[in-house]
Amino acid sequence: MLLYAILYYFASSNLSIAAPSSSSGSQFANGMISSISPRDTDMVDMCPRTRLEIIWTCLATIFAASWVSVHPNMPGPNVSKVKKSLRRIEIMLWAIITPELIILWAMQQWYGAKVIENEFISKYRKPNDAFKWTKKHGFFLQMGGFVLYEKDKPKRILEWKALMAYYENGRVDLSEITEATIDDRSKADGFGKCIALIQTSWFITQCIARFSDKHLVLTELELVTAALAVLSLLMYSFWWNKPFNAEVPIVIDLHEHGYYQHLSIQTHGNDVLSIHTQVVSKFRASIQAGIEFVRSNLLNWNSFQKLALIPYNVIEYVLGCIEEFINPTLVDLHSMKVPAFYYFEGVALEHRTNLNRIGSFLVAAVFGAIHCAGWSDKIIFHTRTVSLLWRISSVIITGLPLLWISFFIFVLIENAYPNSEELENAIDVLGDVTALLSLFSIPFYIIARIILLILAFMELRYVPQGALNNIPWANVLPFIH
């Protein structure tokens, strides 16, 4: 619906018509003159672009970079389709607003899968067992892919140590859990992932070509999309072996004598029938109860207090999610699912985890540096105010990740010299200061990202002719326009 609304707005505004050009350049309403003119004054572009084509291409690439490239953990049993969709939309927004956190999550899961694979080979693999544990198994474990059943009833998620303890005691058989078995749970195969990779890679290639051609310019929306596309390539590289949007775990039945496992979730028909019966029989009563709830609870002073606390609750929730990205949450021994942004972290991984955090924030700095290309004359702004807002926001999203890196550098220095009391005191002070500044800088970073997205769409109303001229070889390969 949002896509259709945007397309209808630009269509109704008749924005698909190219802006008039002259030999002296394009004249904007505020008097700012664009130095971009058609590539040749005596030659007409035989295949010009329209604003709608630019929007559609960018939205398709953003979708590939934020929805298709992100591989979520399993939602858990008895979760409605509406909640699953809302959760996926939330993760997509995280990938658009703070893609470096998704990169950190993917990096941590990739390294966790690698450590689990090496630990199985060196510690748990049995001499006569033909079973082979791979990175794909490690990813599937981290996303909550193994569920323990006892007496045909679900008990809990199996995390790494518990699964290996049962495996060593001969109480579970992993021989039938192959990569093909795990791939059956995935909603996308290698071919589907290659389609998204072609979309993002081809878009980046065109953006580089337009930026290099002196007769062509990039729109702000293409610049933002290119930055997201670059990060999506990293997500794909880290999550290539992780099943995409898998929802059905492997059920392992545990018995006192012997072992076996079922390779699908058992659905209890009585529970489903009971739910549907309640919905049908109590539909009218639920409506009446909802009316009474509105009258008794919403139309009073407490409801206004709750509304006033909504911004606080939103900020608290956002900070909690960021904390979950940076510091992994332990798996609840009685839970039927792993945390939304869970990744495996053993005791030996603490040093590597800090390095991964530094790496992800370096990626964030590169992400912001791509937006700083808006300082170039290849990006045209219709007012100086918009140009100033863009530059300030791009500097914020480039500089703040460097501040966050300094905190983890201090942590690494403190761990490297644990016996130096003076150095430890100095590092503690610097670490506290950088931690406090980092905490207060998070809202500014999010606001700057939102401003860049808004400006990118707003500036499509003033697209110069150089942005509408097309690349001659733009339609050579398959591409979503």
Side-chain angles (χ1 to χ4, degrees):
M1 294 299 294
L2 178 61
L3 171 62
Y4 290 140
I6 294 174
L7 295 179
Y8 176 78
Y9 170 76
F10 284 100
S12 61
S13 302
N14 197 23
L15 294 176
S16 61
I17 303 175
S21 61
S22 62
S23 59
S24 60
S26 300
Q27 180 74 31
F28 290 119
N30 66 337
M32 294 182 64
I33 299 177
S34 170
S35 60
I36 304 300
S37 59
R39 63 185 71 179
D40 289 308
T41 56
D42 57 345
M43 182 182 69
V44 179
D45 192 347
M46 300 302 295
C47 187
R49 303 193 303 171
T50 64
R51 290 168 175 80
L52 293 180
E53 289 176 348
I54 296 174
I55 294 172
W56 174 246
T57 303
C58 292
L59 289 181
T61 307
I62 290 175
F63 181 82
S66 59
W67 183 281
V68 183
S69 63
V70 177
H71 294 48
N73 293 337
M74 288 190 179
N78 303 325
V79 178
S80 65
K81 292 183 179 180
V82 175
K83 290 184 177 180
K84 291 178 183 178
S85 300
L86 291 176
R87 188 57 175 168
R88 292 285 286 129
I89 292 174
E90 179 190 348
I91 296 177
M92 181 186 70
L93 293 177
W94 279 110
I96 295 175
I97 303 299
T98 57
E100 63 279 354
L101 293 181
I102 304 295
I103 290 290
L104 175 60
W105 179 26
M107 190 183 302
Q108 296 282 50
Q109 283 199 331
W110 175 84
Y111 192 76
K114 180 180 178 181
V115 170
I116 289 175
E117 180 185 18
N118 295 335
E119 187 173 337
F120 178 85
I121 295 174
S122 61
K123 185 176 180 181
Y124 297 109
R125 187 173 184 178
K126 299 177 181 180
N128 299 326
D129 195 346
F131 171 72
K132 181 181 179 181
W133 187 282
T134 64
K135 286 188 180 69
K136 186 164 294 185
H137 291 79
F139 277 118
F140 196 68
L141 176 84
Q142 292 180 89
M143 62 189 299
F146 296 97
V147 177
L148 177 65
Y149 265 51
E150 285 191 1
K151 299 179 181 179
D152 296 331
K153 292 184 179 180
K155 186 175 181 181
R156 65 184 179 91
I157 284 289
L158 277 174
E159 44 86 24
W160 173 242
K161 296 298 180 182
L163 179 61
M164 288 299 101
Y166 291 133
Y167 177 74
E168 280 188 309
N169 295 330
R171 302 191 66 184
V172 297
D173 181 16
L174 302 179
S175 60
E176 297 183 9
I177 306 177
T178 62
E179 288 190 342
T181 303
I182 297 176
D183 287 335
D184 287 339
R185 269 81 180 157
S186 180
K187 300 295 191 300
D189 55 6
F191 178 78
K193 293 181 178 181
C194 285
I195 295 296
L197 278 176
I198 291 174
Q199 173 72 19
T200 54
S201 301
W202 192 236
F203 183 86
I204 294 172
T205 302
Q206 290 193 65
C207 288
I208 295 175
R210 297 188 68 87
F211 198 83
S212 303
D213 193 325
K214 64 180 181 179
H215 300 297
L216 301 176
V217 290
L218 273 175
T219 62
E220 291 78 2
L221 183 59
E222 288 176 304
L223 183 60
V224 171
T225 306
L228 288 173
V230 170
L231 267 63
S232 71
L233 295 180
L234 291 177
M235 295 180 198
Y236 265 114
S237 63
F238 286 117
W239 271 335
W240 186 261
N241 292 317
K242 182 180 179 180
F244 175 74
N245 206 25
E247 297 180 357
V248 181
I250 294 177
V251 176
I252 297 181
D253 278 334
L254 192 64
H255 293 267
E256 295 181 0
H257 304 287
Y259 49 78
Y260 64 90
Q261 77 276 344
H262 298 296
L263 301 182
S264 63
I265 278 285
Q266 301 175 0
T267 303
H268 301 284
N270 294 334
D271 295 340
V272 177
L273 179 61
S274 175
I275 292 174
H276 286 284
T277 302
Q278 290 179 0
V279 170
V280 174
S281 62
K282 297 184 179 181
F283 178 73
R284 187 171 299 175
S286 298
I287 295 178
Q288 188 65 30
I291 296 175
E292 294 297 329
F293 175 81
V294 171
R295 290 177 179 176
S296 60
N297 295 310
L298 296 183
L299 300 180
N300 53 37
W301 177 248
N302 291 332
S303 63
F304 293 102
Q305 290 180 331
K306 293 179 180 179
L307 289 175
L309 290 176
I310 287 178
Y312 170 79
N313 293 331
V314 171
I315 293 175
E316 185 179 17
Y317 177 77
V318 170
L319 293 178
C321 291
I322 294 175
E323 175 68 18
E324 188 174 340
F325 275 115
I326 298 177
N327 297 317
T329 306
L330 297 178
V331 179
D332 187 357
L333 296 180
H334 303 286
S335 176
M336 290 299 298
K337 65 176 183 177
V338 297
F341 307 113
Y342 172 76
Y343 54 87
F344 175 78
E345 183 186 40
V347 177
L349 294 181
E350 183 177 357
H351 177 73
R352 177 68 188 190
T353 299
N354 289 326
L355 292 178
N356 289 342
R357 291 164 180 164
I358 293 176
S360 66
F361 292 140
L362 282 175
V363 171
V366 173
F367 175 75
I370 296 176
H371 289 79
C372 290
W375 293 54
S376 170
D377 58 358
K378 301 295 292 184
I379 308 295
I380 307 300
F381 298 96
H382 79 285
T383 65
R384 300 187 187 277
T385 302
V386 174
S387 176
L388 182 62
L389 279 175
W390 184 279
R391 294 182 177 186
I392 293 175
S393 299
S394 60
V395 169
I396 288 176
I397 67 172
T398 305
L400 289 184
L402 300 178
L403 172 65
W404 304 337
I405 288 174
S406 63
F407 170 75
F408 294 105
I409 290 178
F410 292 145
V411 174
L412 290 176
I413 295 176
E414 184 177 6
N415 295 334
Y417 301 96
N419 298 325
S420 178
E421 184 176 354
E422 295 181 357
L423 180 60
E424 183 178 357
N425 294 333
I427 292 298
D428 288 340
V429 174
L430 293 175
D432 292 340
V433 172
T434 53
L436 187 62
L437 292 176
S438 299
L439 180 63
F440 281 104
S441 66
I442 292 174
F444 293 97
Y445 181 87
I446 296 177
I447 292 173
R449 287 285 298 118
I450 295 175
I451 289 176
L452 290 172
L453 289 173
I454 294 175
L455 293 180
F457 281 98
M458 288 179 56
E459 287 299 290
L460 288 175
R461 297 178 297 173
Y462 311 98
V463 178
Q465 182 64 41
L468 297 177
N469 290 336
N470 210 344
I471 304 174
W473 45 266
N475 299 324
V476 173
L477 293 179
F479 188 67
I480 298 177
H481 294 281

